[in-house]
Amino acid sequence: MTEEHAEHILSYGKLTTVWVALLVLTAATIMVTRVELGVWKVWAALAIASVKSGLVIAFFMHMKYEPRLFRIILFVALFTLAGFIGGTFFDVLYR
């Protein structure tokens, strides 16, 4: 097996750390819903969700260990999706 296609086995400690971070971020999302932040409530929840999805993609889907081209393609797709979602927010906001 070549170095490129070697299995990436993560330690239980690292997986547990990521899992605990996801739990903390979930608690932060719940806390954001309880605080009156006005318009910033949605942006805070989206920011937390983005960090959580980044952790899942990087560690549980092993994207951290993929070649650079795959990561670039993923980020282009995610930024395109974010652009469409942002456009939808502005469309709904100014109707």
Side-chain angles (χ1 to χ4, degrees):
M1 193 177 305
T2 65
E3 185 66 31
E4 250 182 67
H5 300 288
E7 291 185 34
H8 302 289
I9 299 174
L10 297 173
S11 68
Y12 288 122
K14 184 174 279 192
L15 290 175
T16 303
T17 302
V18 173
W19 178 66
V20 169
L22 290 170
L23 288 177
V24 168
L25 289 168
T26 300
T29 304
I30 293 169
M31 296 301 286
V32 164
T33 64
R34 308 264 190 243
V35 177
E36 186 54 46
L37 298 174
V39 178
W40 294 103
K41 185 181 289 192
V42 172
W43 291 108
L46 284 173
I48 294 169
S50 297
V51 171
K52 287 169 55 175
S53 66
L55 286 172
V56 169
I57 290 169
F59 291 99
F60 294 123
M61 296 175 68
H62 301 274
M63 188 57 74
K64 181 178 178 181
Y65 305 105
E66 292 297 330
R68 184 178 179 102
L69 178 63
F70 287 168
R71 289 183 280 175
I72 290 171
I73 292 170
L74 173 70
F75 284 118
V76 167
L78 290 176
F79 282 121
T80 303
L81 176 64
F84 283 120
I85 291 172
T88 303
F89 274 130
F90 285 117
D91 181 49
V92 171
L93 183 64
Y94 291 112
R95 279 192 175 191

